[in-house]
Amino acid sequence: MAPALVYNPVDTNFSCDPIEATHNRKEQKNSQHEIEVVLPDLFVSFLSRKPQLNPYYENIREESEAWVSKNCQLSPKESRRISKANFSYFIAIMAREAGPDEYRTICDWGNWVFPFDDMFDEGSLKDDPERAGQEMQNLLAAMETTDSEKALPQSSPLVEAHNSIWFRIAKLPRVGIPAEKYLRHVARLPSPGARERFVRAMRDYSNAALDQVQNQAQRTVLDPKSLLETRRQSIGVTPLFAMIEYFYDLDLPDEVFEHPSMIEMEKVATDFVLIHNDMLSYSKEQREGFDHNLVALYRSAGMGPQEAFDQMEELLKARLRGWHLALADLPQWGEAIDMQVQKYIGAVQDVVLANLNWR
């Protein structure tokens, strides 16, 4: 039986949990604005399996949250939000077989991206394109060089924290540590292609975030296709894909990532994440005045509540078909590369699985 989702357009009480939905119905029995919609089954195909957690999750979660709170100079309220979000759980599913150092680095990035992204979503930069652009320039500056001793522009604590994370992902030596000593602790430096894929993903994320700020400042309303294209980058999933090579120490040639099937699978997986997010966070975002949501877009186009969610279900079905077709068309590159390709594809699936179970 598909779960019922109950929300109130005025009070915006909203749940995809059948028990909580029942509780909401009891509390809202006198409301004339109660609406119930039926969600599709989201746990299908590779999303039906039970997630496995990285064994270092419990210990590293606290370390990462404390590091981000200190180095990003977060307020007590912001630190509590980081802890409540528990993005380390997401990463524990996504990087379930990563070693402790790699898992810690990805947790730091995941916990960092929350307060950084908030500045553009709902913070001081959400409708200030000029200041937002400067912050993004500072963010990208460190990633434009492989020289960790090069002087970088004076930046905010959030940007400085990301510089530290970037040096770890790129496996660059720290200032004051001789390269010979550092390289003894590094099994293999990431390929130039792996570094460039992360930089490109962060550049795309930055550009999309700036587009969102510009749209917010100009009150631009996007059509579904344009919204999808922007959200694919601003949602921050592609940097997670780019980090798979880092935390599983993969060595894949560029041609693998340039193949149409791989490009399509990454796009489909990103769409899964944003469609799931838009369905499950619709009411919360409506309450907060955030209208970059596909459900909200369909509703503003005249669709009824159930019709809008049914349209989201059709989008998911199309993505699932696209995934299987792309997978079937994936070529073989030889046993050594193919084994790593399967490891990469499994981790891409784990990103979607993590997002769905991280609630």
Side-chain angles (χ1 to χ4, degrees):
M1 179 179 178
L5 182 151
V6 176
Y7 74 96
N8 185 301
V10 176
D11 298 329
T12 58
N13 294 313
F14 186 83
S15 173
C16 63
D17 182 279
I19 297 176
E20 186 177 346
T22 301
H23 178 70
N24 285 345
R25 281 196 293 270
K26 290 179 179 178
E27 286 193 343
Q28 298 174 7
K29 62 183 179 180
N30 294 325
S31 172
Q32 298 179 355
H33 301 283
E34 176 183 303
I35 296 175
E36 178 175 307
V37 296
V38 178
L39 285 176
D41 184 3
L42 304 180
F43 298 88
V44 296
S45 187
F46 61 85
L47 297 175
S48 63
R49 59 185 170 86
K50 184 178 179 180
Q52 299 177 7
L53 295 181
N54 188 292
Y56 303 105
Y57 161 63
E58 293 290 350
N59 291 334
I60 287 180
R61 175 192 176 183
E62 292 185 8
E63 295 176 8
S64 178
E65 290 175 0
W67 183 88
V68 169
S69 293
K70 178 182 178 181
N71 286 273
C72 296
Q73 299 182 15
L74 303 183
S75 68
K77 181 179 180 180
E78 290 171 324
S79 296
R80 287 193 297 271
R81 288 184 64 188
I82 293 291
S83 182
K84 184 177 180 180
N86 190 10
F87 201 74
S88 298
Y89 184 83
F90 181 114
I91 302 298
I93 299 173
M94 164 193 160
R96 52 194 167 94
E97 297 178 4
D101 292 341
E102 291 77 15
Y103 175 61
R104 165 63 192 275
T105 296
I106 309 306
C107 284
D108 286 353
W109 187 90
N111 287 320
W112 164 87
V113 80
F114 270 92
F116 185 79
D117 197 64
D118 278 350
M119 293 192 301
F120 305 92
D121 275 349
E122 55 191 52
S124 60
L125 304 181
K126 70 176 182 179
D127 52 8
D128 190 337
E130 184 175 349
R131 287 178 55 222
Q134 184 60 56
E135 186 74 358
M136 287 303 190
Q137 287 181 23
N138 292 341
L139 176 70
L140 295 173
M143 293 183 283
E144 300 297 339
T145 177
T146 57
D147 182 2
S148 60
E149 296 192 23
K150 180 181 178 180
L152 297 172
Q154 186 174 0
S155 304
S156 69
L158 280 161
V159 171
E160 294 290 346
H162 190 270
N163 289 347
S164 168
I165 296 168
W166 159 245
F167 292 149
R168 283 179 267 159
I169 292 173
K171 299 183 179 179
L172 298 175
R174 307 294 191 273
V175 175
I177 300 179
E180 300 80 13
K181 181 179 179 181
Y182 172 76
L183 291 174
R184 286 201 298 269
H185 299 282
V186 177
R188 181 175 67 239
L189 289 175
S191 68
R195 287 177 174 173
E196 175 55 32
R197 278 183 280 279
F198 179 77
V199 173
R200 185 167 58 245
M202 288 300 294
R203 191 181 298 120
D204 290 344
Y205 159 76
S206 299
N207 290 337
L210 292 178
D211 287 344
Q212 184 171 298
V213 170
Q214 192 71 41
N215 292 334
Q216 182 74 14
Q218 298 177 352
R219 299 292 187 265
T220 303
V221 178
L222 301 177
D223 59 78
K225 182 179 179 181
S226 299
L227 182 58
L228 266 174
E229 290 174 353
T230 299
R231 294 282 307 290
R232 283 188 185 117
Q233 307 304 331
S234 67
I235 199 171
V237 172
T238 50
L240 294 176
F241 295 160
M243 284 186 271
I244 293 171
E245 293 177 88
Y246 159 73
F247 65 72
Y248 281 153
D249 199 24
L250 303 180
D251 187 17
L252 290 167
D254 294 344
E255 63 181 291
V256 169
F257 297 95
E258 294 166 359
H259 192 275
S261 289
M262 186 64 77
I263 293 172
E264 179 65 16
M265 281 191 288
E266 289 181 342
K267 185 175 78 171
V268 165
T270 302
D271 284 359
F272 268 125
V273 171
L274 70 88
I275 293 169
H276 288 159
N277 283 359
D278 281 7
M279 294 177 74
L280 300 177
S281 63
Y282 167 63
S283 181
K284 175 178 179 293
E285 292 181 354
Q286 288 293 286
R287 181 177 68 244
E288 296 174 352
F290 185 81
D291 55 4
H292 291 278
N293 181 296
L294 283 169
V295 178
L297 199 59
Y298 289 135
R299 293 284 285 118
S300 66
M303 290 187 183
Q306 186 64 61
E307 186 181 6
F309 278 89
D310 288 346
Q311 182 62 37
M312 299 291 278
E313 180 180 11
E314 293 304 313
L315 293 180
L316 289 174
K317 288 179 179 178
R319 270 46 181 191
L320 189 57
R321 288 193 297 270
W323 174 273
H324 290 301
L325 289 173
L327 187 61
D329 287 339
L330 199 67
Q332 294 181 336
W333 286 277
E335 183 178 359
I337 293 179
D338 290 345
M339 289 178 63
Q340 294 187 73
V341 168
Q342 291 307 310
K343 186 77 170 179
Y344 180 85
I345 292 173
V348 169
Q349 291 179 330
D350 285 341
V351 171
V352 186
L353 184 69
N355 184 69
L356 194 55
N357 285 272
W358 170 63
R359 299 186 182 278

